[in-house]
């Protein structure tokens, strides 16, 4: 009985927990509830993935209302996979949050933090699971508002400004998506993705459809921080509380990429987007710029969190590049990198959370000699960092491989070269941290620090282990990504 | 289907195990792991022994072949002797990294497909970089970084080549191919970077001598010789390799003649020796390939021996420059004798391993009537004696009396040296076991009177040239510029000139030409530095403008697209 | 210790005494001569003409080595630097 309603529970369970967190009024109680809920959501997402993998795509009618009138939740391989990524990161971040939040956020606000965190999780899961574009917008707003709050809770005063900027630009992005949805509703009279996909081909010569396409792509571009729409991201990630950076970096932008993919392939269709509209060229140029600019800027940063933020912009460029090829291998690269990047960025930001918990700083200078003082944390950082570089037997290599295969299949050798040269840049910026941590002596007045608490260390190491495990056993990730890519290219939900 | 596990995995897994052990257990492990690997190497039958599915390909991570087994045997032997040499002195991280490096090299020697090859290829880079860094000095750290970047660049070239090749042929099998398309040229280039071929050869003499005494011994064996192995499998008979190889032969000699650092002399001589092998691969006949394979095997042993003796000197005296050394034969007789045996072997003296291996390559050139190649190889052989055969032992153990009286090194070091010295002579006296391992049936008799007379005349008169021109060979406190000048000196200075604004006028006078380049590069750096336009925090209004611009541009494009 | 050893040589290792070195030179030159003389006995059957000439390995080895040393010195005048050249990087 319950298994029939898993799609609804996936969203409703974390949603209900948010007000409960507020009612608990205690940091610890709220944390405990949030952790339990996050792991429940993770379990639900795994069950859904198993169900989809064995039975194929499933449809759920919210409240029993049939599709064009009611809201339909439609789960295929792509969004089942995304649910696992989002809920999995949420579940792994929560155990870390207890210590980290206790250090970074005032006690009287901690329960509010967990409430906002649960709302953000709800929103992200809702965006991914829904098959209704207006419902998608609603969840987008829920997650955005919660994210602004979470960023603003950062201890640094600059977090407020970063949050404000995030709010302004995020609202513009959401508004653009709403305008696009409105235009589509105007010409098609439906909000259901499947219905839209069926009706748009006949209407694609209409200007409102084209305008809707432009608004939605730019709006989603803002949400996923596609260069040059990334300007909100570095400050938001740098000044947000450590666990928020980890959670948002690993999930929020990925969900943005998912929204873009869903609209391009499912709603508008690959033929419209890539043959009638020059989306492939636009995404390729912006993706390549993102890869190069993001990596180069990251090389020059002295705040490691900020460095990773710019690295995220480069990594999002890889995903955009993967989509731009509009080929199976390109999409596999994009989809598998959603997972891979979530694992490695999650591990890297959580490792920084450990560092911040002990040092109170993530400036490069403060991390001198940390390799000896926090060996496990830094070893985790190195493992995830090597993954970012794309060393064989790590997840980064898998993404890089598919991206280069896709580029060479399309005869775009220079693109392959840029992708690989940028991976050397990743080595350079990861290397700057390794050099400081392992080859520099700490200052004389540096505080005595020890390893981070196990509650923080274990999830961090689990993510780093995932970076290596899924770099060797690619059956699940590449398998799901390949089938998702094939069904996306076929069109229709 | 799992019938065999990659033999290299024993060493790689052992590398992770070593730091967890201590005392006698660790020492036993250091010696046992390479021997266990050697046993596994010989248990793999010819043909595919393990297949698995990775990504969209069916891979053959373990495929036995005569050639692979020969190289893997040499690699495992080197791991054993190197482990013995290092067991009491080196840091555990160094031995662990060296074993990971050796295991990856063995992995390459059994790789039946290009993906496996690439994976082990990249793992080798990581292992070797850690081996260099384990010296713990600042110069080793920086040399290691340069080393990594050069090799990762080579890895990029190789990866694009491999993916292009797979896209063109649909096959991942690693088999003989020809440099007839861009992707296969890239594969060849990627292989050659590791072989120490021009123009990037400087990574080798730059990085190896900065490692610890024992680390250099390990390093000398694997990277270049795996490159020789993959070139042999992939590009046997590729004509361009003849000339690449000959260039390396003379590059090694000339630079070694000018060098003052004893281990850098031997590093240049690695490139020289690999040049002989690459030339043999380029000739591509069965005789030439047998010669290259035999020479690679012999080379791993005598070069290891030479670097062990140099390492013993460095370990005992702390000095590495010929100008500081000399006269050590008085107090280090074992090291001296072992060094001389290695020097005779590298020079192909009769009764040493070099004599029974290297001249097969010359013989092949003669058989094919490649006159110019044959004469150049003969000159190269004379030059080997000059730069490594005499120069190294002379300046380190004889020449002037430096006044240093260090004793011979600890027992494990001289035991390792003695083992390799024994093998150098043993293979020279009784080459049959080596010949039996070669890829093709051996139709070559090393000990003929003509060969003996030829070799004695050539070597002794090369020696005469050395002693007659000894005043010209006087060691000076110098280094010799190489291609690495571009990335060690020119580019950093360029970057600094661009990045710092101080004393600009002086610089403009000094580098009149550089200012022009700066005009091009400055905007580039200006944008990406922390205060640069691409890196700074944007005011919200400015950021919004970007959104508007992008929306406007896409709208215009889409409308225009529709109007078309 | 024989009586005809020069005074400053007495404390030296026997291998580096002036007399030993002179003997080593004599031995070396004798060996050079013998290897060349073997050309009368052994047919080295050259393939390219030039390599069949009398004492080819001897004169070829000597000349190419001299050429390589001179070539290296010439290149060194252009490319050699103080060995602290890169240290200030």
């Amino acid at each position: 009985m319950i298994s029939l309603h898993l799609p609804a529970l996936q969203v409703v369970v974390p949603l209900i927990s948010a007000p409960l967190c507020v009612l608990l009024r205690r940091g610890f109680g709220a944390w405990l509830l949030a952790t339990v809920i996050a792991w429940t959501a993770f379990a639900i997402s795994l069950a859904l993935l198993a169900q989809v993998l064995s039975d194929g795509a499933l449809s759920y009618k919210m409240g029993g209302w049939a599709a064009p009138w009611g809201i339909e939740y439609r789960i295929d391989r792509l969004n089942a996979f995304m649910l696992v990524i989002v809920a999995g990161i949420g579940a792994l971040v929560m155990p870390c949050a207890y210590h980290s939040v206790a250090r970074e956020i005032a006690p009287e606000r901690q329960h509010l933090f967990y409430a906002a965190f649960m709302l953000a999780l709800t929103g992200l899961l809702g965006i991914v699971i829904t098959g209704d574009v207006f419902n998608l917008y609603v969840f987008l707003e829920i997650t955005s508002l919660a994210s602004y709050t979470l960023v603003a809770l950062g201890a640094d005063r600059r977090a407020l400004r970063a949050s404000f900027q995030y709010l302004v630009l995020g609202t513009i992005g959401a508004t653009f998506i709403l305008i696009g949805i409105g235009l589509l509703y105007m010409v098609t009279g439906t909000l259901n993705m499947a219905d839209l996909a069926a009706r748009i081909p006949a209407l694609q010569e209409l200007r409102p459809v084209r305008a809707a396409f432009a608004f939605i792509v730019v709006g989603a571009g803002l949400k996923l921080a596609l260069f040059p729409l990334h300007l909100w991201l570095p400050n938001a990630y740098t000044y947000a509380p450590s666990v928020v950076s980890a959670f948002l970096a690993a999930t929020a932008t990925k969900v943005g990429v998912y929204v873009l993919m869903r609209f391009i392939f499912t709603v508008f269709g690959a033929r419209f987007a890539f043959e009638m509209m020059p989306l492939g060229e636009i995404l390729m140029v912006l993706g390549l710029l993102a890869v190069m600019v993001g990596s180069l800027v990251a090389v020059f940063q002295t705040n490691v969190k900020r460095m990773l933020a710019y690295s995220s912009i480069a990594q999002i460029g890889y995903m955009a590049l993967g989509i731009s090829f509009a080929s199976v291998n390109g999409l596999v690269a994009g989809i598998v990198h959603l997972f891979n990047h979530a694992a490695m960025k999650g591990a890297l930001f959580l490792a920084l959370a450990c560092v911040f918990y002990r040092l109170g700083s993530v400036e490069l200078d403060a991390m001198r000699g940390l390799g000896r003082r926090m060996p496990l944390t830094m070893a985790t950082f190195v493992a995830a960092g090597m993954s970012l570089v794309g060393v064989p037997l790590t997840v980064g290599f898998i993404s890089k491989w598919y991206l280069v295969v896709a580029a060479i299949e399309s005869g775009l050798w220079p693109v392959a070269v840029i992708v690989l040269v940028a991976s050397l840049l990743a080595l350079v910026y990861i290397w700057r941290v390794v050099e400081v941590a392992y080859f520099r002596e700490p200052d004389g007045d540096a505080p005595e620090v020890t390893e981070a608490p196990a509650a923080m260390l274990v999830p961090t190491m689990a993510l780093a282990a995932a970076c290596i495990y899924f770099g060797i056993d690619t059956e699940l990730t590449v398998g799901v990504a390949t089938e998702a890519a094939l069904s996306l290219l076929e069109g229709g939900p | 289907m799992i019938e065999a596990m990659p033999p290299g995995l024993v060493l790689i897994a052992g590398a992770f195990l070593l730091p967890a052990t201590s005392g006698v257990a660790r020492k036993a492990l250091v010696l046992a792991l390479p021997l266990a690997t050697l046993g596994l190497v010989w248990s793999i039958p010819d043909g595919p022994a393990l297949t698995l599915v990775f990504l969209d390909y069916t891979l053959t991570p373990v495929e036995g072949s005569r050639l692979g087994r020969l190289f893997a045997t040499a690699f495992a032997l080197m791991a054993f002797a190197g482990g013995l040499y290092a067991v009491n002195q080196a840091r555990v991280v160094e031995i662990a990294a060296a074993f990971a490096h050796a295991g990856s090299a063995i992995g390459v020697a059994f790789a039946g497909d290009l993906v496996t090859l690439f994976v082990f290829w990249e793992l080798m880079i990581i292992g070797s970089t850690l081996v260099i860094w384990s010296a713990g000095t600042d110069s080793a750290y920086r040399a290691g970084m340069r080393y990594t970047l050069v090799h990762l660049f080579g890895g990029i070239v190789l990866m694009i080549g491999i993916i292009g090749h797979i896209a063109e042929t649909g096959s991942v099998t690693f088999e003989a191919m020809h440099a007839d398309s861009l992707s296969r040229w890239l594969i060849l280039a990627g292989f050659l970077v590791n072989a120490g071929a021009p123009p990037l050869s400087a990574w080798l003499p730059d990085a190896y001598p900065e490692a610890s005494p024992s680390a250099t011994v390990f390093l000398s064996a694997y990277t270049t010789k795996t490159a020789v192995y993959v070139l042999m499998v992939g590009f046997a008979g590729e004509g361009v390799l003849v000339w690449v190889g000959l260039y390396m032969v003379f590059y090694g000699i000339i630079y070694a003649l000018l060098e003052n650092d004893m281990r850098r002399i031997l590093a240049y001589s690695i490139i020289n020796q690999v040049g002989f092998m690459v030339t043999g691969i380029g000739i591509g006949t069965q005789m030439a390939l047998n010669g290259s394979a035999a020479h690679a095997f012999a080379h791993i042993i005598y070069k290891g021996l030479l670097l062990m003796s140099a390492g013993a000197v460095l370990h005992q005296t702390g000095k590495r420059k010929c100008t500081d050394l000399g006269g050590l034969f008085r107090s280090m007789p074992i090291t001296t004798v072992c060094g001389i045996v290695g020097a005779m072997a590298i020079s192909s003296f009769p009764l040493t391993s070099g004599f029974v291996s290297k001249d097969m390559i010359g013989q092949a050139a003669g058989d094919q009537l490649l006159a110019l190649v044959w004469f150049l190889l003969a000159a190269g052989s004379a030059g080997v004696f000059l730069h490594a055969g005499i120069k190294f032992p002379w300046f380190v153990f004889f020449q002037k009396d430096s006044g240093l009286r260090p004793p011979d090194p600890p027992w494990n070091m001289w035991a390792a040296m003695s083992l390799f010295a024994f093998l150098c002579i043993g293979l020279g006296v009784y080459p049959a076991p080596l010949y039996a391992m070669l890829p093709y049936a051996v139709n070559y008799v090393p000990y003929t009177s003509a060969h003996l007379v030829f070799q004695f005349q050539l070597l002794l008169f090369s020696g005469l040239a050395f002693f007659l021109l000894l005043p010209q060979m006087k060691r000076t406190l110098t280094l010799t510029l190489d291609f690495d000048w571009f990335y060690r000196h020119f580019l950093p200075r360029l970057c600094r000139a661009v990045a710092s604004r101080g004393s600009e006028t002086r610089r403009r006078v000094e580098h009149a030409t550089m200012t022009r380049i700066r005009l091009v590069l400055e905007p580039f750096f200006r944008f990406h530095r922390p205060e640069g336009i691409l890196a700074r925090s944007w005011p919200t209004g400015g950021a919004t403008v970007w959104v508007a611009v992008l929306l406007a541009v896409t709208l215009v494009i889409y409308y225009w697209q529709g109007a078309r | 210790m024989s009586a005809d050893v020069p005074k400053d040589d007495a404390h030296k290792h026997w291998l580096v005494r002036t007399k030993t070195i002179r003997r080593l030179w004599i031995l070396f030159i004798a060996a050079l001569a013998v290897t060349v003389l073997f050309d009368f006995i052994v047919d080295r059957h050259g393939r390219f003409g030039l390599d069949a000439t009398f004492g080819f390995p001897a004169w070829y080895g000597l000349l190419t080595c001299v050429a390589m040393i001179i070539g290296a010195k010439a290149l060194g005048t252009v490319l050699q630097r103080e060995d602290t050249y890169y240290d200030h990087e």
Side-chain angles (χ1 to χ4, degrees), chain B residues 166-188:
Chain B
I166 295 174
E168 279 168 30
T169 63
S171 157
V172 291
T173 317
F174 178 42
E175 57 198 349
M177 52 186 114
H178 291 289
D180 53 6
S181 76
L182 177 61
S183 51
R184 283 180 281 280
W185 272 108
L186 290 175
I187 294 180
L188 180 61

Side-chain angles (χ1 to χ4, degrees), chain B residues 422-436:
Chain B
F422 171 78
L423 284 176
C424 280
I425 294 175
L427 287 176
V429 175
Y430 185 59
L434 174 60
Y435 286 178

